[in-house]
Amino acid sequence: MMDDLERKLDGTKIASEIRNDVASEVAALRERGVTPRLDVVLVGDDPASRVYVGSKAKTSAELGMSSETHELPEDTPQAEIESLVDRLNLDPEVDGILVQLPLPAAIDSAAILDRIDPAKDVDGFHPENVGLLQQGRPGLVPCTPAGIMEMFRREGIELEGRRAVVVGRSNIVGKPMAMLLLHAHATVTLCHSRTRDLAGVTREAEILVAAVGRQSLIGPDHVAPGAVVVDVGMHRVTDRETVERLYPGNEKKLSAFAKRGAVLVGDVDYTRVAPKASRITPVPGGVGPLTIAMLMANTVKAARLRRGTDD
Ligand code: NAP
């Protein structure tokens, strides 16, 4: 019988391994006179976006990369954001461009994202990179699914020939996740809000990835014994009753809630699903740290590809 510690896929630990590898690559590039640079565009003052952007800049600096944050007010016109993107596209010093989402409601986000030079599109959202991924050709891959694949690789989790089910078909997580699993020779099913008998489908999974955006939707009835479960969801729970229901008798969670007035919860009911799973990512400390580590890896990849130093 596996204990809790062996079962847990420790995203924080894996992310730190990825970051160490990226830092070595950055050091090697710097010896050749190349310092990879990530530019982040932040429009408006959404507090969560501000935190994410701050941690991206901090991580870039820790790994020896340079980074620049471009802060624009909430009411910035579309044309002004587009001309900033154009300028960054043309700047030879800039390797990666990330436009922090969500953009204000008045902005046409797709038009902004489509404008980013695909060679600098470290989020991997540009249709050219989406097409390259679909065809299995080298390009920049969205950070969250790329991080999950890196975790599978580093943890020795076999994918070839196995049944994988992805719940959620967003362009940033579900679809690219399904495509990467397919390229790794898993047999893939993609579920969404119109899927009938979701639990019946997910119980077929040897590898189950939940990217639904519905707090604790995936319960023990959705999971086959021995499945590998990856939880992409991220929700801030602020009522004590829900925390007590999700983590009965879990003093650590309850005291974290008492201290901060909130806890982070995923799309998977961890307490009830973990005993059935062979491996499982927690929230927090699972997929989240992998995403930011892969953003750094993508920036270095972009620097190498664009500057022709990929050897
Ligand atoms: P999204 O764009 O809202 O997509 C959610 C997907 O789930 C949609 O395809 C939707 O189906 C499907 N869905 C919704 N309710 C469902 C249900 N009851 N049964 C089956 N499928 C259902 O979300 P996202 O951007 O992919 O993000 C998903 C979650 O991951 C969110 O909690 C987000 O905060 C989190 N996230 C975390 C990270 C990280 O770094 N940890 C990164 C990105 C996202 P339809 O297409 O039919 O509407």
Side-chain angles (χ1 to χ4, degrees):
M1 196 63 185
M2 220 178 208
D3 73 19
D4 235 29
L5 221 56
E6 290 169 319
R7 194 182 280 136
K8 187 154 85 176
L9 284 162
D10 186 344
T12 307
K13 184 188 103 224
I14 302 162
S16 110
E17 291 165 11
I18 297 171
R19 283 202 308 270
N20 285 342
D21 291 351
V22 172
S24 310
E25 280 189 68
V26 171
L29 281 169
R30 285 175 64 144
E31 268 180 24
R32 297 155 73 165
V34 173
T35 302
R37 174 171 149 182
L38 172 66
D39 279 46
V40 180
V41 178
L42 173 65
V43 187
D45 36 39
D46 176 64
S49 292
R50 199 164 279 278
V51 171
Y52 293 143
V53 166
S55 72
K56 285 164 188 172
K58 184 168 159 269
T59 311
S60 307
E62 283 166 2
L63 303 189
M65 302 179 358
S66 73
S67 88
E68 189 90 37
T69 302
H70 306 267
E71 293 191 27
L72 301 172
E74 180 86 16
D75 58 357
T76 306
Q78 177 96 18
E80 211 173 294
I81 306 173
E82 290 182 0
S83 72
L84 171 60
V85 170
D86 291 347
R87 193 159 59 71
L88 299 176
N89 281 343
L90 291 173
D91 186 337
E93 294 301 316
V94 175
D95 294 297
I97 303 169
L98 182 146
V99 176
Q100 184 64 43
L101 299 176
L103 286 167
I107 300 296
D108 177 353
S109 301
I112 303 284
L113 297 179
D114 285 1
R115 214 169 172 99
I116 297 173
D117 178 349
K120 298 186 178 188
D121 167 40
V122 283
D123 256 340
F125 296 161
H126 191 282
E128 187 173 315
N129 282 317
V130 176
L132 291 170
L133 172 60
Q134 154 96 16
Q135 293 187 347
R137 294 161 67 188
L140 293 164
V141 176
C143 302
T144 300
I148 294 169
M149 293 303 285
E150 191 60 29
M151 173 180 74
F152 289 148
R153 193 179 70 77
R154 287 175 188 251
E155 293 291 310
I157 293 170
E158 278 285 327
L159 300 172
E160 190 172 331
R162 297 183 85 188
R163 277 185 166 270
V165 175
V166 179
V167 190
R169 56 175 164 182
S170 71
N171 289 329
I172 63 173
V173 190
K175 281 185 206 154
M177 185 76 248
M179 203 48 71
L180 288 165
L181 287 164
L182 185 62
H183 293 321
H185 310 296
T187 300
V188 184
T189 303
L190 192 48
C191 298
H192 45 77
S193 65
R194 319 281 172 94
T195 298
R196 289 189 198 142
D197 184 20
L198 181 68
V201 179
T202 56
R203 270 199 307 272
E204 295 278 308
E206 297 173 272
I207 312 284
L208 176 61
V209 181
V212 205
R214 299 277 179 277
Q215 181 225 300
S216 313
L217 177 89
I218 304 296
D221 292 348
H222 293 80
V223 179
V228 174
V229 180
V230 178
D231 188 355
V232 181
M234 226 161 33
H235 312 272
R236 223 171 144 261
V237 172
T238 53
D239 72 287
R240 191 179 171 92
E241 213 174 292
T242 306
V243 179
E244 281 171 352
R245 182 172 51 76
L246 291 175
Y247 303 104
N250 185 331
E251 288 309 322
K252 215 169 138 205
K253 286 284 177 192
L254 289 172
S255 72
F257 178 77
K259 210 160 118 195
R260 297 190 202 100
V263 292
L264 271 189
V265 169
D267 289 343
V268 175
D269 181 346
Y270 187 90
T271 307
R272 292 163 186 90
V273 168
K276 280 188 101 171
S278 62
R279 308 296 310 274
I280 183 166
T281 60
V283 176
V287 173
L290 296 171
T291 299
I292 189 153
M294 288 314 285
L295 173 65
M296 302 301 135
N298 266 358
T299 304
V300 171
K301 186 174 173 187
R304 284 182 179 285
L305 289 171
R306 196 175 58 86
R307 297 171 193 244
T309 54
D310 212 23
D311 43 41

